[in-house]
Amino acid sequence: MPSLLPKLLRPLLLRRVIATCQQLLAASLPNRCLMCHQTVAAPYRGICACCLEISLYQTPTCLGCGRALLLQSCYCGACQHSQPLVVIAPASYHQGIGELVAGIKYRAELAALDMLVMALVERIKQLQRLGLIRLPQAMIAVPLHPNRLRQRGFNQAWLIADTLSRQLGIPMLDKVLVRRVDTRPQAGLTGKQRRRNLADAFILTEPINYQRIALIDDVVTTGTTVQSIAELFAAHYIHLQVWCLARAEAPGLLE
């Protein structure tokens, strides 16, 4: 077993090295806002204070569906009956921040990653102060299949989780949740197709000795992926909440 440890740690160390190199490279480039292209004043990077502020939620939102609320509570009236999975995000994907999140995922544009994570941390702390959530004991990034990870070179959810773990002091569990099926992309699929696409796609590789876990992803759209993972944890009586940089709400919910 000891001889296998270095081999098992190699992927984790490689991802940390890649993340560090990307952050160092970003730090060496001119610090301009990716949205308005103006010079960004420290400590901001990749997005200026003004663009970040106007991209965040301007009203309280339901943690179940993302619907706009008059007062911040956990659920809107409709979600109080169904008690859906709690999804915590600082902003809507549809209101400015979507391009930055897509840039992280598809083009490795990581300049704004730390600031978006900072906004997520502030949202988490706000909800904790209001007594609407409890902090998890550990966090897990939504995994990529090894084939997809080799193609992309990094897992954006892992980068977000690693940054969150360092900022909040919450341990990140790696290799506990595995994507064993190389599913096709969810974009463009119907709800039924999404569920069929993710059937038995994820497995837990070992027991988890925690009662509260945060699942980390870059964006939550229909919630099919996180819901399929949540069912795995529910079978072990583990409470799951989802943390992401942005949420793509159904049309009309923010109006």
mmCIF file of all heavy atoms in Angstrom, residues 162-189:
data_model
loop_
_atom_site.group_PDB
_atom_site.id
_atom_site.type_symbol
_atom_site.label_atom_id
_atom_site.label_comp_id
_atom_site.label_asym_id
_atom_site.label_seq_id
_atom_site.Cartn_x
_atom_site.Cartn_y
_atom_site.Cartn_z
ATOM 1 N N ASP A 162 -10.875 24.053 -4.611
ATOM 2 C CA ASP A 162 -9.565 24.239 -3.980
ATOM 3 C C ASP A 162 -9.432 25.650 -3.415
ATOM 4 O O ASP A 162 -8.944 25.847 -2.297
ATOM 5 C CB ASP A 162 -8.457 23.961 -5.005
ATOM 6 C CG ASP A 162 -7.072 24.061 -4.406
ATOM 7 O OD1 ASP A 162 -6.798 23.362 -3.413
ATOM 8 O OD2 ASP A 162 -6.261 24.853 -4.914
ATOM 9 N N THR A 163 -9.880 26.644 -4.174
ATOM 10 C CA THR A 163 -9.826 28.035 -3.706
ATOM 11 C C THR A 163 -10.766 28.242 -2.522
ATOM 12 O O THR A 163 -10.407 28.897 -1.529
ATOM 13 C CB THR A 163 -10.209 28.996 -4.851
ATOM 14 O OG1 THR A 163 -9.385 28.725 -5.993
ATOM 15 C CG2 THR A 163 -10.001 30.446 -4.430
ATOM 16 N N LEU A 164 -11.974 27.685 -2.592
ATOM 17 C CA LEU A 164 -12.923 27.779 -1.486
ATOM 18 C C LEU A 164 -12.370 27.124 -0.221
ATOM 19 O O LEU A 164 -12.509 27.661 0.885
ATOM 20 C CB LEU A 164 -14.235 27.097 -1.867
ATOM 21 C CG LEU A 164 -15.216 27.871 -2.742
ATOM 22 C CD1 LEU A 164 -16.314 26.944 -3.245
ATOM 23 C CD2 LEU A 164 -15.825 29.037 -1.975
ATOM 24 N N SER A 165 -11.759 25.973 -0.395
ATOM 25 C CA SER A 165 -11.214 25.239 0.743
ATOM 26 C C SER A 165 -10.173 26.073 1.476
ATOM 27 O O SER A 165 -10.150 26.124 2.715
ATOM 28 C CB SER A 165 -10.598 23.915 0.266
ATOM 29 O OG SER A 165 -10.022 23.211 1.338
ATOM 30 N N ARG A 166 -9.321 26.755 0.716
ATOM 31 C CA ARG A 166 -8.280 27.588 1.330
ATOM 32 C C ARG A 166 -8.867 28.832 1.984
ATOM 33 O O ARG A 166 -8.400 29.261 3.039
ATOM 34 C CB ARG A 166 -7.222 27.962 0.287
ATOM 35 C CG ARG A 166 -6.324 26.784 -0.102
ATOM 36 C CD ARG A 166 -5.202 27.170 -1.038
ATOM 37 N NE ARG A 166 -5.631 27.181 -2.425
ATOM 38 C CZ ARG A 166 -5.815 28.267 -3.140
ATOM 39 N NH1 ARG A 166 -5.641 29.458 -2.604
ATOM 40 N NH2 ARG A 166 -6.185 28.188 -4.403
ATOM 41 N N GLN A 167 -9.891 29.412 1.376
ATOM 42 C CA GLN A 167 -10.473 30.644 1.927
ATOM 43 C C GLN A 167 -11.325 30.388 3.170
ATOM 44 O O GLN A 167 -11.377 31.214 4.089
ATOM 45 C CB GLN A 167 -11.307 31.358 0.865
ATOM 46 C CG GLN A 167 -10.473 31.983 -0.241
ATOM 47 C CD GLN A 167 -11.262 32.998 -1.063
ATOM 48 O OE1 GLN A 167 -12.304 33.478 -0.657
ATOM 49 N NE2 GLN A 167 -10.751 33.339 -2.235
ATOM 50 N N LEU A 168 -12.017 29.241 3.206
ATOM 51 C CA LEU A 168 -12.933 28.959 4.300
ATOM 52 C C LEU A 168 -12.370 27.978 5.335
ATOM 53 O O LEU A 168 -12.974 27.776 6.386
ATOM 54 C CB LEU A 168 -14.252 28.393 3.752
ATOM 55 C CG LEU A 168 -15.114 29.386 2.961
ATOM 56 C CD1 LEU A 168 -16.269 28.658 2.293
ATOM 57 C CD2 LEU A 168 -15.648 30.477 3.878
ATOM 58 N N GLY A 169 -11.229 27.360 5.017
ATOM 59 C CA GLY A 169 -10.651 26.409 5.950
ATOM 60 C C GLY A 169 -11.452 25.127 6.072
ATOM 61 O O GLY A 169 -11.419 24.455 7.104
ATOM 62 N N ILE A 170 -12.185 24.769 5.018
ATOM 63 C CA ILE A 170 -12.986 23.539 5.001
ATOM 64 C C ILE A 170 -12.260 22.518 4.138
ATOM 65 O O ILE A 170 -11.887 22.833 2.998
ATOM 66 C CB ILE A 170 -14.399 23.804 4.450
ATOM 67 C CG1 ILE A 170 -15.135 24.806 5.341
ATOM 68 C CG2 ILE A 170 -15.199 22.505 4.337
ATOM 69 C CD1 ILE A 170 -16.483 25.234 4.793
ATOM 70 N N PRO A 171 -12.035 21.307 4.639
ATOM 71 C CA PRO A 171 -11.283 20.320 3.849
ATOM 72 C C PRO A 171 -12.008 19.922 2.571
ATOM 73 O O PRO A 171 -13.240 19.880 2.533
ATOM 74 C CB PRO A 171 -11.138 19.130 4.800
ATOM 75 C CG PRO A 171 -12.247 19.283 5.784
ATOM 76 C CD PRO A 171 -12.452 20.762 5.939
ATOM 77 N N MET A 172 -11.226 19.642 1.536
ATOM 78 C CA MET A 172 -11.782 19.165 0.279
ATOM 79 C C MET A 172 -11.471 17.679 0.147
ATOM 80 O O MET A 172 -10.320 17.263 0.311
ATOM 81 C CB MET A 172 -11.202 19.930 -0.909
ATOM 82 C CG MET A 172 -11.762 19.465 -2.247
ATOM 83 S SD MET A 172 -11.283 20.516 -3.641
ATOM 84 C CE MET A 172 -9.509 20.276 -3.681
ATOM 85 N N LEU A 173 -12.485 16.877 -0.128
ATOM 86 C CA LEU A 173 -12.314 15.449 -0.316
ATOM 87 C C LEU A 173 -12.094 15.174 -1.798
ATOM 88 O O LEU A 173 -12.929 15.521 -2.629
ATOM 89 C CB LEU A 173 -13.545 14.682 0.191
ATOM 90 C CG LEU A 173 -13.979 14.972 1.636
ATOM 91 C CD1 LEU A 173 -15.188 14.123 1.994
ATOM 92 C CD2 LEU A 173 -12.840 14.734 2.602
ATOM 93 N N ASP A 174 -10.973 14.552 -2.106
ATOM 94 C CA ASP A 174 -10.632 14.285 -3.503
ATOM 95 C C ASP A 174 -10.690 12.783 -3.764
ATOM 96 O O ASP A 174 -10.352 11.972 -2.896
ATOM 97 C CB ASP A 174 -9.227 14.819 -3.805
ATOM 98 C CG ASP A 174 -9.059 15.173 -5.272
ATOM 99 O OD1 ASP A 174 -10.058 15.510 -5.917
ATOM 100 O OD2 ASP A 174 -7.927 15.087 -5.769
ATOM 101 N N LYS A 175 -11.137 12.402 -4.953
ATOM 102 C CA LYS A 175 -11.224 11.009 -5.386
ATOM 103 C C LYS A 175 -12.270 10.190 -4.643
ATOM 104 O O LYS A 175 -12.313 8.972 -4.764
ATOM 105 C CB LYS A 175 -9.849 10.314 -5.252
ATOM 106 C CG LYS A 175 -8.746 10.920 -6.099
ATOM 107 C CD LYS A 175 -9.074 10.842 -7.577
ATOM 108 C CE LYS A 175 -7.940 11.381 -8.429
ATOM 109 N NZ LYS A 175 -8.294 11.376 -9.866
ATOM 110 N N VAL A 176 -13.111 10.853 -3.850
ATOM 111 C CA VAL A 176 -14.186 10.139 -3.152
ATOM 112 C C VAL A 176 -15.397 9.951 -4.072
ATOM 113 O O VAL A 176 -16.035 8.907 -4.073
ATOM 114 C CB VAL A 176 -14.594 10.904 -1.876
ATOM 115 C CG1 VAL A 176 -15.832 10.284 -1.243
ATOM 116 C CG2 VAL A 176 -13.445 10.922 -0.888
ATOM 117 N N LEU A 177 -15.663 10.978 -4.870
ATOM 118 C CA LEU A 177 -16.727 10.925 -5.869
ATOM 119 C C LEU A 177 -16.084 10.806 -7.242
ATOM 120 O O LEU A 177 -15.227 11.614 -7.608
ATOM 121 C CB LEU A 177 -17.587 12.192 -5.787
ATOM 122 C CG LEU A 177 -18.727 12.321 -6.797
ATOM 123 C CD1 LEU A 177 -19.806 11.279 -6.532
ATOM 124 C CD2 LEU A 177 -19.324 13.729 -6.752
ATOM 125 N N VAL A 178 -16.494 9.783 -7.998
ATOM 126 C CA VAL A 178 -15.864 9.498 -9.297
ATOM 127 C C VAL A 178 -16.933 9.448 -10.379
ATOM 128 O O VAL A 178 -18.025 8.907 -10.172
ATOM 129 C CB VAL A 178 -15.102 8.151 -9.255
ATOM 130 C CG1 VAL A 178 -14.605 7.760 -10.638
ATOM 131 C CG2 VAL A 178 -13.945 8.242 -8.274
ATOM 132 N N ARG A 179 -16.584 10.020 -11.522
ATOM 133 C CA ARG A 179 -17.465 9.939 -12.699
ATOM 134 C C ARG A 179 -16.983 8.754 -13.526
ATOM 135 O O ARG A 179 -15.951 8.813 -14.183
ATOM 136 C CB ARG A 179 -17.376 11.229 -13.512
ATOM 137 C CG ARG A 179 -18.498 11.394 -14.513
ATOM 138 C CD ARG A 179 -18.409 12.751 -15.199
ATOM 139 N NE ARG A 179 -19.654 13.146 -15.799
ATOM 140 C CZ ARG A 179 -20.211 14.338 -15.670
ATOM 141 N NH1 ARG A 179 -19.619 15.250 -14.932
ATOM 142 N NH2 ARG A 179 -21.342 14.637 -16.264
ATOM 143 N N ARG A 180 -17.735 7.666 -13.475
ATOM 144 C CA ARG A 180 -17.271 6.436 -14.126
ATOM 145 C C ARG A 180 -17.761 6.284 -15.558
ATOM 146 O O ARG A 180 -17.295 5.413 -16.291
ATOM 147 C CB ARG A 180 -17.705 5.222 -13.313
ATOM 148 C CG ARG A 180 -19.215 5.029 -13.199
ATOM 149 C CD ARG A 180 -19.529 3.775 -12.413
ATOM 150 N NE ARG A 180 -20.960 3.594 -12.225
ATOM 151 C CZ ARG A 180 -21.499 2.569 -11.567
ATOM 152 N NH1 ARG A 180 -20.706 1.651 -11.051
ATOM 153 N NH2 ARG A 180 -22.815 2.476 -11.426
ATOM 154 N N VAL A 181 -18.729 7.124 -15.963
ATOM 155 C CA VAL A 181 -19.253 7.069 -17.330
ATOM 156 C C VAL A 181 -18.896 8.370 -18.042
ATOM 157 O O VAL A 181 -19.141 9.464 -17.513
ATOM 158 C CB VAL A 181 -20.782 6.869 -17.337
ATOM 159 C CG1 VAL A 181 -21.312 6.850 -18.773
ATOM 160 C CG2 VAL A 181 -21.154 5.587 -16.606
ATOM 161 N N ASP A 182 -18.311 8.257 -19.219
ATOM 162 C CA ASP A 182 -17.951 9.441 -20.004
ATOM 163 C C ASP A 182 -19.197 9.906 -20.764
ATOM 164 O O ASP A 182 -19.384 9.600 -21.946
ATOM 165 C CB ASP A 182 -16.817 9.102 -20.969
ATOM 166 C CG ASP A 182 -16.245 10.350 -21.635
ATOM 167 O OD1 ASP A 182 -16.659 11.471 -21.262
ATOM 168 O OD2 ASP A 182 -15.382 10.212 -22.526
ATOM 169 N N THR A 183 -20.048 10.648 -20.065
ATOM 170 C CA THR A 183 -21.322 11.074 -20.646
ATOM 171 C C THR A 183 -21.119 12.152 -21.702
ATOM 172 O O THR A 183 -20.127 12.887 -21.678
ATOM 173 C CB THR A 183 -22.248 11.619 -19.548
ATOM 174 O OG1 THR A 183 -21.580 12.685 -18.863
ATOM 175 C CG2 THR A 183 -22.591 10.527 -18.548
ATOM 176 N N ARG A 184 -22.062 12.266 -22.604
ATOM 177 C CA ARG A 184 -21.998 13.354 -23.583
ATOM 178 C C ARG A 184 -22.412 14.653 -22.886
ATOM 179 O O ARG A 184 -23.105 14.635 -21.867
ATOM 180 C CB ARG A 184 -22.893 13.073 -24.786
ATOM 181 C CG ARG A 184 -24.362 12.842 -24.460
ATOM 182 C CD ARG A 184 -25.160 12.700 -25.749
ATOM 183 N NE ARG A 184 -26.535 12.283 -25.494
ATOM 184 C CZ ARG A 184 -27.534 12.546 -26.301
ATOM 185 N NH1 ARG A 184 -27.331 13.227 -27.423
ATOM 186 N NH2 ARG A 184 -28.755 12.118 -26.030
ATOM 187 N N PRO A 185 -22.025 15.808 -23.434
ATOM 188 C CA PRO A 185 -22.379 17.086 -22.813
ATOM 189 C C PRO A 185 -23.876 17.226 -22.620
ATOM 190 O O PRO A 185 -24.680 16.810 -23.465
ATOM 191 C CB PRO A 185 -21.835 18.118 -23.806
ATOM 192 C CG PRO A 185 -20.708 17.411 -24.495
ATOM 193 C CD PRO A 185 -21.157 15.980 -24.605
ATOM 194 N N GLN A 186 -24.284 17.858 -21.492
ATOM 195 C CA GLN A 186 -25.691 18.020 -21.167
ATOM 196 C C GLN A 186 -26.374 19.113 -21.990
ATOM 197 O O GLN A 186 -27.595 19.095 -22.148
ATOM 198 C CB GLN A 186 -25.832 18.369 -19.677
ATOM 199 C CG GLN A 186 -25.383 17.242 -18.741
ATOM 200 C CD GLN A 186 -26.441 16.164 -18.593
ATOM 201 O OE1 GLN A 186 -26.573 15.271 -19.440
ATOM 202 N NE2 GLN A 186 -27.194 16.248 -17.533
ATOM 203 N N ALA A 187 -25.594 20.061 -22.486
ATOM 204 C CA ALA A 187 -26.176 21.185 -23.224
ATOM 205 C C ALA A 187 -26.973 20.689 -24.427
ATOM 206 O O ALA A 187 -26.511 19.852 -25.205
ATOM 207 C CB ALA A 187 -25.079 22.128 -23.689
ATOM 208 N N GLY A 188 -28.189 21.205 -24.561
ATOM 209 C CA GLY A 188 -29.029 20.859 -25.701
ATOM 210 C C GLY A 188 -29.915 19.652 -25.477
ATOM 211 O O GLY A 188 -30.760 19.341 -26.331
ATOM 212 N N LEU A 189 -29.770 18.953 -24.343
ATOM 213 C CA LEU A 189 -30.585 17.778 -24.061
ATOM 214 C C LEU A 189 -31.857 18.174 -23.313
ATOM 215 O O LEU A 189 -31.872 19.137 -22.555
ATOM 216 C CB LEU A 189 -29.795 16.768 -23.224
ATOM 217 C CG LEU A 189 -28.488 16.219 -23.809
ATOM 218 C CD1 LEU A 189 -27.885 15.197 -22.858
ATOM 219 C CD2 LEU A 189 -28.709 15.617 -25.181
#
